[in-house]
C-alpha cells in the first residue's frame, strides 16, 4: 500500500467523486498495471534526461566557441594597423552576433523538439491509462485536465514504490507469440518438476556422476529449478503484457 490521496494529498485538488473512484481503483490495481505505470514514468524521465543532456551539451559547445572566437578576435585587433582596427572590431562583432544567433536557433529547436516528444508521450500515456481503466483519463490537451491526470498518475505511482514480482506463469505460455488470457486457471508449475524419489529422472544441470541419492533432502534442487523456471516464465509473460499495452508508443503517439 502507498500514501492516501485525501486532504492535502496528491488527489486533494480532485472533486470528491473522482477522488473516490481513483482510490478504489488503486486498492484493486493489478501488478501488471503498476508495472505499466512505472514504465510510463521511466519513459517521461528518460525524455527529460535526454533534453537536459542535449541542452547542457549545447551550452558547453557555445561557451567553448565564444572563448575561442574571442581569443581569435583579440589577436586580429592586436595585429591590425591603427587605421584598420575599427573595421576589424566591427567585423568581429558581426561574427559574435552570428554565433549567438546560431545558438539561439538551436536552443529554440531543442525546446520545440522536446515539447513535441512530451506531447507524444502524454498522448500515449492517456491512451494506455484508458486501456487500463484508470478513472479521470481521456485524450485531451486541456491544461486543467492534464493537471488532474498528472495528480492521478503520480498518486498511483506512489502506491507501489518497490518493484513487484511478476504474475504466475500462465498455461500454454506465449502460443503464437501472444500471451495467454489472464482469466484462465493457472497451472501448477511444480507438475513439470521431476517426481521426488524417482531415480530415473536426473536434473540435466547436474554432473553425470555420482548417481542421484534418493534421500528427500537431496531433492531440493529440482524444486529450486522449478522455482527458477517459474520466475523466468513470469518475467517473459509480464514483459509480453507490457508490450501489448505499450506497443503503440511510436505509432500512436505521433500527434
Amino acid at each position: 500500500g502507498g500514501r492516501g490521496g485525501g486532504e492535502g494529498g496528491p488527489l486533494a485538488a480532485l472533486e470528491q467523486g473522482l477522488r473516490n473512484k481513483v482510490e478504489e481503483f488503486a486498492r484493486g490495481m493489478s501488478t501488471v498495471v503498476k508495472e505499466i505505470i512505472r514504465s510510463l514514468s521511466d519513459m517521461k524521465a528518460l525524455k527529460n534526461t535526454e533534453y537536459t543532456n542535449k541542452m547542457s551539451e549545447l551550452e558547453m559547445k557555445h561557451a567553448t566557441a565564444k572563448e575561442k572566437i574571442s581569443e581569435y578576435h583579440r589577436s586580429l585587433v592586436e595585429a591590425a594597423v591603427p587605421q584598420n582596427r575599427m573595421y576589424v572590431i566591427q567585423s568581429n562583432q558581426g561574427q559574435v552576433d552570428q554565433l549567438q544567433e546560431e545558438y539561439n536557433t538551436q536552443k529554440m529547436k531543442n525546446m520545440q523538439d522536446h515539447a513535441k516528444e512530451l506531447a507524444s508521450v502524454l498522448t500515449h500515456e492517456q491512451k494506455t491509462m484508458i486501456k487500463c481503466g484508470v478513472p479521470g483519463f481521456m485524450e485531451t490537451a486541456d491544461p486543467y485536465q492534464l493537471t488532474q491526470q498528472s495528480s492521478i498518475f503520480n498518486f498511483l505511482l506512489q502506491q507501489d514504490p518497490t518493484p513487484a514480482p511478476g504474475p504466475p506463469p500462465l498455461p500454454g505460455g506465449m502460443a503464437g507469440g501472444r500471451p495467454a488470457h489472464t482469466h484462465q486457471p493457472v497451472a501448477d508449475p511444480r507438475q513439470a518438476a521431476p517426481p521426488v524419489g524417482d531415480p530415473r529422472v536426473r536434473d540435466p544441470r547436474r554432473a553425470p556422476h555420482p548417481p542421484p541419492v534418493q534421500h528427500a533432502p537431496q531433492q531440493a534442487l529440482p524444486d529450486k529449478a522449478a522455482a527458477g523456471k517459474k520466475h523466468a516464465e513470469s518475467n517473459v509473460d509480464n514483459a509480453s503484457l507490457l508490450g501489448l499495452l505499450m506497443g503503440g508508443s511510436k505509432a500512436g503517439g505521433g500527434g
Side-chain angles (χ1 to χ4, degrees):
R3 285 155 280 187
E7 295 299 325
L11 305 182
L14 271 58
E15 60 95 13
Q16 188 63 46
L18 178 56
R19 187 191 309 171
N20 292 342
K21 289 180 181 178
V22 172
E23 290 176 341
E24 181 181 356
F25 179 86
R27 286 191 290 270
M29 185 165 54
S30 71
T31 302
V32 172
V33 173
K34 291 176 184 178
E35 292 292 345
I36 289 171
I37 290 174
R38 267 195 291 270
S39 296
L40 289 169
S41 178
D42 290 345
M43 189 187 303
K44 287 190 286 189
L46 176 63
K47 292 297 181 186
N48 286 328
T49 300
E50 289 175 350
Y51 171 69
T52 301
N53 292 342
K54 190 179 291 186
M55 294 299 278
S56 296
E57 183 181 0
L58 177 64
E59 293 289 345
M60 286 190 294
K61 285 183 176 179
H62 181 59
T64 302
K66 279 177 65 178
E67 185 177 344
K68 287 184 177 180
I69 202 171
S70 177
E71 293 175 0
Y72 174 64
H73 287 168
R74 189 159 47 245
S75 68
L76 291 180
V77 172
E78 290 173 356
V81 294
Q83 59 266 33
N84 290 342
R85 192 159 291 168
M86 186 56 65
Y87 169 78
V88 171
I89 290 174
Q90 291 176 347
S91 175
N92 289 350
Q93 185 59 46
Q95 292 180 2
V96 170
D97 293 343
Q98 182 182 351
L99 181 67
Q100 185 66 36
E101 184 179 347
E102 290 173 357
Y103 163 77
N104 291 339
T105 300
Q106 186 60 49
K107 184 176 181 179
M108 180 59 67
K109 182 180 184 302
N110 289 354
M111 294 171 68
Q112 290 172 341
D113 289 346
H114 181 58
K116 187 176 180 180
E117 286 186 345
L118 277 188
S120 174
V121 169
L122 284 176
T123 299
H124 174 57
E125 178 182 299
Q126 289 172 350
K127 291 179 178 179
T128 305
M129 293 294 93
I130 292 168
K131 286 182 182 179
C132 292
V134 179
F137 271 83
M138 65 203 75
E139 291 189 47
T140 179
D142 177 68
Y144 174 74
Q145 294 289 347
L146 290 175
T147 301
Q148 279 201 334
Q149 290 179 359
S150 179
S151 299
I152 295 169
F153 184 91
N154 291 331
F155 170 72
L156 295 179
L157 185 65
Q158 292 172 5
Q159 298 312 296
D160 190 31
T162 56
L170 302 177
M174 295 170 58
R178 291 172 295 179
H181 295 296
T182 54
H183 64 266
Q184 294 180 356
V186 177
D188 187 348
R190 290 171 294 181
Q191 292 175 356
V196 176
D198 188 344
R200 297 167 299 170
V201 180
R202 184 189 302 273
D203 190 322
R205 282 168 290 188
R206 282 183 171 175
H209 56 276
V213 182
Q214 299 177 33
H215 294 293
Q218 296 297 326
Q219 295 300 320
L221 183 58
D223 287 342
K224 288 181 180 178
K229 178 182 176 185
K230 174 181 177 182
H231 178 69
E233 290 177 358
S234 298
N235 289 341
V236 170
D237 181 65
N238 194 42
S240 67
L241 286 170
L242 289 176
L244 182 67
L245 279 171
M246 299 187 62
S249 172
K250 294 180 179 178

